[in-house]
Amino acid sequence: MTQSHSHKRDALARRFRTFIDPDFVIADEETMKPYECDGMSMFCEMPLLVVLPETVAQVQEVMRLCHREGIAVVARGAGTGLSAGAMPHADGIVLSLARFNRIVHIDPLARTARLQPGVRNLAISEETAQYGLYYGPDPSSQIACTIGGNVGNNSGGVHCLKYGLTVHNILSVEMITIEGERVVIGSDGLDSCGMDLLALITGSEGLLGVITEVKVKLLPKPEKAQVVMAGFDDIQNAGDAVGGIIAQGIIPGGLEMMDSYAIIAAEDFAHAGYPKEAAALLLCEVDGTAEEVQEHIEAAESLFRSFGATSIRTSKNENERALLWKGRKSAFPAVGRLSPDYYCMDGTIPRGQLAHVLLEMEKMSKEYQLRVANVFHAGDGNLHPLILFDANVPGEFERTEAFGGAILTLCVEVGGCITGEHGVGIEKIRYMTTQFGDLELAQFNAIKAAFDADGRLNPGKGVPTLRQCQEYRALERKPAKVEA
Amino acid sequence: MSDQTARLIEQVNAAIADGQKLNITGAGSKAFMGRETDTRHAAVLDLKDHTGVVNYQPVELVLTVRAGTPLDEIDAVLAEHNQMLSFEPPRYAAGATIGGTLACNQSGPGRPWTSSVRDQVLGIKLINGKAEHLRFGGQVMKNVAGYDASRLQAGAMGTLGAITEVSLKVLPRPAATTTLTQAMPLADAIPFMNQRAAQPKPLSGACWLDGSLYLRLSGAASAVDATAHQWQQQGAQVLDADSSARFWQQLRDHQLDFFAGDAPLWRFSVGPTEPNPDLSGPWLIDWAGAQRWYRGDEAMSDMERLATRAGGQVSQFRGGDRHGDVMHHQPAALRQLQQRLKHAFDPNALFNPGRLYSWM
Ligand SMILES: Cc1cc2nc3c(=O)[nH]c(=O)nc-3n(C[C@H](O)[C@H](O)[C@H](O)COP(=O)(O)OP(=O)(O)OC[C@H]3O[C@@H](n4cnc5c(N)ncnc54)[C@H](O)[C@@H]3O)c2cc1C
């Protein structure tokens, strides 16, 4: 670090310490280290400072100061994001919302909860269980990730085919603009007059404002939930079975698929009783009233059989249901055990393209000489290929990135998109030009400017500048060659 | 079925060149909404002939249609595969289009349970005020790349551009539907509806009108039957199937007697459990208390005060003097953000000037 840099850091820290508890203005390298990346640890950067305000007034003051001085602000929840969206900016501060961890109010009759942004996703359902309620979106990271981060990324989970993403499950947010102004977007009603700013903010990756409170909708906990596990010896059959369920008029609470790599890894990790010889595994959860669950479970079982399932198992009690899910929910770390590192992709495709996409990926896997395991939110077409690599082998991460890029391009080619729920962040920013044209990207930049004309909020993330776009398009024309 | 994109872009370009304002219309079924302005009946950008299904994949649960496509036509296409637009879009007059439905964010009685048009939009195409034809979102269920410019249109009433194409998530039709009714005073009905909504039962409608509560159940036949049976034992009566279908359709399309006549119609979008304000005119409560309709001559400012107290907003939905603002006022900061967004999409302020707000 240069001397002027450290001088700047110290001077700035002193100013933040005039209105934030000095212990929560972090300026030393060692304490700042854990903030250098989010869940996408291949992308790291040290910030100028990390600040952890405790009140909305302090957040406003932080924003005013940064706005005045032209300092970049990167909002951060739990830092579990997988697109480097919360990675710091070298000339900016990290604004951690970790101390905003209070459930402000639960209204069981109106079925809502007012939350500070640092409340953990799972804590919402845990706290509201006493009223027979829960919060719908359930990212696999729900033990750790925060509701503020969920809004930032419009996060989903295994239940979003039926219950929607974050955008479908929130009523309002309190947001601090870059100028330090406090605005409330949305209301206690289900809609508000004028443009739908709530939708615009959701998934905006901290580029439009800092969320300081979220009001979420709660759902009545279903009377019953049961899961059918079906193994297939052919991936196409499994894909067709997913379409078959939908065509039957059943919308499962969750409908997940794993390929053979993921099945073996998950089984070795969780001992859930998955058929390790299967080429594909479906987990189909049906929830609702006791009668409905019985009706739909029977329909699902016979449907899977008719699509050639080689093994079927239906959970008989809550323990068994939890066990069957455990394999799926721990699929990322389980696959992670197979390799020093893994890289999680997040494209969405039309479901009908699944077999084609998996086949193409197999070819690419050979071409790039990297193994890939697939975990798939099959109900809504959201694919999570996990590319296994070793960061310590020179050039292997670059090859992994190129492989990942080829997968995303393929997703767009078959009518899908580059990210279903993890966000663009830094990681996928160069693939924005694959999905969008320059006019769309210019419109996105204009939207950004409407909120943050100077580009101080999470700079370099989410939407490429037009100059970046030109660079990326030039790169697209000469794809990275793989050295065998 | 016809693609009018080229004509529409040409017309926007001409308007830019001539410095003319454009009023975007579909079938005109929602012409009564928004403000009355001087330029309201000037040049029209007409989307009603821009129709047709672009792509429909029943197993994907995704439909893409041109914005001028009438809702009835969409229903017919979906019905062939036993699917539907889950948000029950209202038809206030014949021909109502999907584009207008999204622009005005109109959803029917099932909204709290079977979601809204805004919820089900996956992507759009839009001509902005620079005559650029843009594509946002996608045709897949999940897409978080870029800002959600598709849902942003819901309620914008065309102020950001002309929506030319809409991709939507569609859903299977429920296997069974039953309506239960029960006599109940308004003050009791509001908490009661919410208690029902807090139970894990297949509720898909909760409305109160004229001293009667109407609860609709939809879903698997076994679940609907069992719940209906249980609630019957607690004092509700089953409405026959024809009356049931008619009631929800007439509620959706504002054809019930409550909606007849000239008295101004006010729409409250508020916290569902809030006690109802004490006013002299009649009320209709829908969405288990979250959407409330009121008839009567009242001052906007008084109504706004009541709506704010109930955690929500009000609009002067139909009738009355419409030269002032008819939508709940926006705090200065939100007003400024929306003006900047308007400028970002439509720098020459071509589209629907003053229709949504006097300052827009
Ligand atoms: C093992 C694992 C499993 C995962 N599974 C899923 C899954 O199933 N589904 C899914 O969708 N995601 C999943 N994720 C990704 C991640 O957990 C989610 O994106 C999550 O919502 C991030 O929350 P966070 O609190 O960690 O946010 P962070 O990572 O801290 O931040 C995420 C983004 O939001 C912004 N942000 C955070 N807080 C605020 C705020 N208060 N105001 C404004 N902007 C803010 C940040 O700047 C950043 O751009 C998974 C991650 C891991 C590591």
Side-chain angles (χ1 to χ4, degrees), chain A residues 107-112 131-133 153-157 160-162 164-165 167-170 175 177 179 181-200 202-205 207-208 217 220-223 242-244 246-251 288-289 291-293 295-296 346 348-353 377 379-382 384 415-424 432 434-437 439-440 443-452 462-463, chain B residues 58-61 81-83 105 111-113 115-116 118-121 126 128-130 132-149 151-157 159-160 169-173 175 190-202 218-224 226-227 230 267 269-274 287-288 290-291 310-315 326-328 330-334 336-342 344-346 356-357 360:
Chain A
D107 185 339
L109 189 57
R111 303 164 320 281
T112 59
Y131 308 107
L133 301 170
N153 281 350
N154 190 18
S155 299
C160 48
L161 175 65
K162 185 166 178 181
L165 303 157
V167 70
H168 302 110
N169 287 280
I170 61 176
M175 186 180 90
T177 67
E179 290 98 354
E181 191 121 28
R182 175 186 166 276
V183 293
V184 175
I185 295 172
S187 75
D188 292 353
L190 294 172
D191 50 36
S192 301
C193 294
M195 301 168 190
D196 199 326
L197 297 177
L198 189 61
L200 188 67
T202 311
S204 65
E205 304 189 14
L207 271 86
L208 302 182
K217 297 184 209 172
K221 203 165 176 310
E223 273 174 18
V242 170
I246 305 282
Q248 185 111 343
I250 298 172
I251 298 293
T289 66
E291 303 82 13
E292 182 179 6
V293 171
E295 188 179 324
H296 285 169
D346 175 45
T348 303
I349 55 169
R351 256 185 280 98
Q353 297 286 342
H377 299 301
D380 35 36
N382 189 192
H384 290 316
C417 68
I418 61 170
T419 173
E421 58 183 15
H422 294 168
V424 174
M432 284 294 276
T434 309
Q435 191 176 330
F436 296 101
L439 291 178
E440 282 84 8
Q443 187 67 78
F444 286 149
N445 281 310
I447 292 174
K448 163 76 169 169
F451 285 80
D452 176 23
V463 180
Chain B
V59 291
E60 304 285 343
L61 299 174
H81 296 274
N82 201 32
Q83 293 184 341
N105 194 21
R111 196 265 176 259
W113 304 277
S115 75
S116 62
R118 168 267 198 196
D119 285 348
Q120 301 294 52
V121 166
L126 169 121
N128 70 6
K130 295 192 261 182
E132 296 166 343
H133 200 204
L134 308 173
R135 184 182 49 84
F136 296 112
Q139 298 190 19
V140 284
M141 222 70 98
K142 286 164 84 178
N143 170 26
V144 294
Y147 301 115
D148 193 343
R151 295 195 173 94
L152 176 66
Q153 307 302 323
M157 290 188 87
T159 49
L160 300 173
K169 176 175 175 182
V170 299
L171 284 178
R173 284 167 178 272
I190 289 173
F192 187 81
M193 286 171 169
N194 281 285
Q195 281 153 15
R196 285 299 194 218
Q199 295 172 8
K201 297 295 181 189
S218 312
S222 55
V224 169
T227 308
Q230 191 189 345
R267 174 178 186 269
S269 174
V270 292
T273 55
E274 292 296 326
W287 295 4
Q291 173 174 255
Q313 302 194 343
V314 68
S315 60
V326 293
M327 302 279 174
H328 202 104
Q330 303 263 352
L334 287 183
Q336 193 184 39
L337 281 175
Q338 289 180 75
Q339 281 171 328
R340 290 188 197 150
L341 282 170
K342 165 77 173 170
F345 278 86
D346 181 16
L356 180 61
Y357 282 104
M360 178 75 82

Side-chain angles (χ1 to χ4, degrees), chain A residues 38-39 74-82 85-86 97 117 138-141 144-150 152-158 205-206 209-212 328 332-333 342 377 384 421-422 458:
Chain A
D38 61 9
V74 180
R76 184 181 178 102
T80 67
L82 291 173
L97 283 305
D138 58 339
S140 303
S141 52
C145 69
T146 67
I147 188 68
N150 292 173
N153 281 350
N154 190 18
S155 299
V158 299
E205 304 189 14
V210 172
I211 310 291
T212 48
R328 165 61 188 90
F332 288 9
Y342 70 94
H377 299 301
H384 290 316
E421 58 183 15
H422 294 168
N458 218 358

Side-chain angles (χ1 to χ4, degrees), chain A residues 36-348:
Chain A
E36 70 173 354
C37 66
D38 61 9
M40 171 51 71
S41 59
M42 299 307 296
F43 294 84
C44 297
E45 184 80 85
M46 286 297 269
L48 268 181
L49 290 177
V50 177
V51 301
L52 297 96
E54 198 185 11
T55 66
V56 173
Q58 287 171 353
V59 175
Q60 289 180 280
E61 200 49 44
V62 168
M63 298 294 262
R64 281 188 208 111
L65 201 162
C66 291
H67 181 53
R68 237 183 1 249
E69 311 278 322
I71 299 164
V73 180
V74 180
R76 184 181 178 102
T80 67
L82 291 173
S83 60
M87 188 194 89
H89 189 275
D91 292 317
I93 61 156
V94 168
L95 171 52
S96 165
L97 283 305
R99 294 168 81 203
F100 284 83
N101 59 0
R102 216 160 45 81
I103 295 181
V104 182
H105 183 66
I106 297 169
D107 185 339
L109 189 57
R111 303 164 320 281
T112 59
R114 263 179 70 196
L115 312 162
Q116 289 190 330
V119 170
R120 290 175 306 110
N121 174 293
L122 186 61
I124 311 169
S125 293
E126 284 173 350
E127 277 305 308
T128 55
Q130 56 184 312
Y131 308 107
L133 301 170
Y134 76 106
Y135 177 63
D138 58 339
S140 303
S141 52
Q142 67 183 152
I143 294 177
C145 69
T146 67
I147 188 68
N150 292 173
V151 174
N153 281 350
N154 190 18
S155 299
V158 299
H159 288 96
C160 48
L161 175 65
K162 185 166 178 181
Y163 297 107
L165 303 157
T166 305
V167 70
H168 302 110
N169 287 280
I170 61 176
L171 286 168
S172 64
V173 298
E174 176 188 77
M175 186 180 90
I176 309 304
T177 67
I178 187 64
E179 290 98 354
E181 191 121 28
R182 175 186 166 276
V183 293
V184 175
I185 295 172
S187 75
D188 292 353
L190 294 172
D191 50 36
S192 301
C193 294
M195 301 168 190
D196 199 326
L197 297 177
L198 189 61
L200 188 67
I201 295 305
T202 311
S204 65
E205 304 189 14
L207 271 86
L208 302 182
V210 172
I211 310 291
T212 48
E213 193 171 295
V214 185
K215 191 159 195 173
V216 302
K217 297 184 209 172
L218 301 170
L219 296 165
K221 203 165 176 310
E223 273 174 18
K224 191 172 175 187
Q226 235 177 326
V227 57
V228 186
M229 175 188 82
F232 293 83
D233 57 12
D234 183 288
I235 208 133
Q236 178 84 49
N237 289 354
D240 291 347
V242 170
I245 284 279
I246 305 282
Q248 185 111 343
I250 298 172
I251 298 293
L255 187 52
E256 296 287 309
M257 193 193 283
M258 290 187 263
D259 72 0
S260 95
Y261 235 126
I263 298 169
I264 294 167
E267 178 57 20
D268 287 344
F269 184 86
H271 308 292
Y274 292 173
K276 284 168 80 169
E277 69 290 350
L281 183 93
L282 283 183
L283 285 175
C284 172
E285 177 159 294
V286 175
D287 61 11
T289 66
E291 303 82 13
E292 182 179 6
V293 171
Q294 191 181 350
E295 188 179 324
H296 285 169
I297 283 285
E298 282 165 13
E301 287 172 346
S302 73
L303 190 130
F304 289 148
R305 241 174 245 119
S306 75
F307 278 88
T310 45
S311 62
I312 288 185
R313 181 171 148 200
T314 301
S315 67
K316 285 175 285 296
N317 51 49
E318 277 303 290
N319 283 343
E320 194 176 2
R321 183 172 80 92
L323 184 65
L324 289 176
W325 274 118
K326 187 176 165 204
R328 165 61 188 90
K329 289 220 171 188
S330 53
F332 288 9
V335 170
R337 292 203 315 177
L338 301 180
S339 161
D341 301 284
Y342 70 94
Y343 185 40
C344 174
M345 310 303 299
D346 175 45
T348 303

Side-chain angles (χ1 to χ4, degrees), chain B residues 14-57:
Chain B
I16 297 171
D18 300 348
Q20 204 176 23
K21 304 295 176 193
L22 285 172
N23 291 280
I24 306 168
T25 69
S29 72
K30 290 177 270 292
F32 62 87
M33 286 187 199
R35 292 179 62 246
E36 193 52 64
T37 66
D38 297 343
T39 51
R40 180 74 186 273
H41 305 284
V44 161
L45 187 68
D46 190 341
L47 277 107
K48 81 170 170 306
D49 295 328
H50 185 61
T51 61
V53 173
V54 177
N55 190 14
Y56 173 38
Q57 302 289 336

